[in-house]
Amino acid sequence: KNIKPPTYLTAAEKKTFEQISEKLLSVGIMTELDEDCLARYIIARRLYIEYTKTLTTMIKKHKKEFKFFIAELSEKIASCL
């Protein structure tokens, strides 16, 4: 089939796109209509990993402040319920 990674993906994302699309094509569950959905999944996955690493680093650096922030946030949420 004529499955191509969208041009807005980075080189690394295009490689991931090709790896995943090959697997999906081999089991017959991907068409050209799925290209954008797969691309958006790949971008979302990359961003999730980046943000998780950043947040983890921030928590480790500012553990005391983060605990205070979470406690304060929990109180605010509880007061809304």
Side-chain angles (χ1 to χ4, degrees):
K1 294 194 178 195
N2 194 22
I3 304 294
K4 296 178 186 170
T7 57
Y8 57 82
L9 294 178
T10 66
E13 290 168 342
K14 287 179 182 178
K15 183 177 179 181
T16 301
F17 180 97
E18 296 199 5
Q19 291 170 341
I20 294 173
S21 65
E22 280 180 26
K23 292 175 184 176
L24 295 173
L25 284 167
S26 72
V27 293
I29 59 170
M30 183 165 182
T31 69
E32 292 86 0
L33 298 174
D34 300 309
E35 291 174 348
D36 193 55
C37 290
L38 178 56
R40 290 178 189 277
Y41 162 75
I42 291 166
I43 292 168
R45 180 178 174 266
R46 176 183 52 80
L47 292 174
Y48 171 79
I49 291 168
E50 285 177 19
Y51 296 153
T52 301
K53 286 179 182 177
T54 300
L55 185 57
T56 301
T57 300
M58 290 174 64
I59 291 169
K60 286 179 181 176
K61 279 186 174 180
H62 306 284
K63 197 171 189 175
K64 189 176 182 179
E65 295 90 342
F66 187 75
K67 283 182 181 180
F68 175 75
F69 170 75
I70 292 298
E72 189 176 287
L73 183 61
S74 295
E75 287 176 19
K76 287 181 180 179
I77 292 170
S79 70
C80 292
L81 300 177

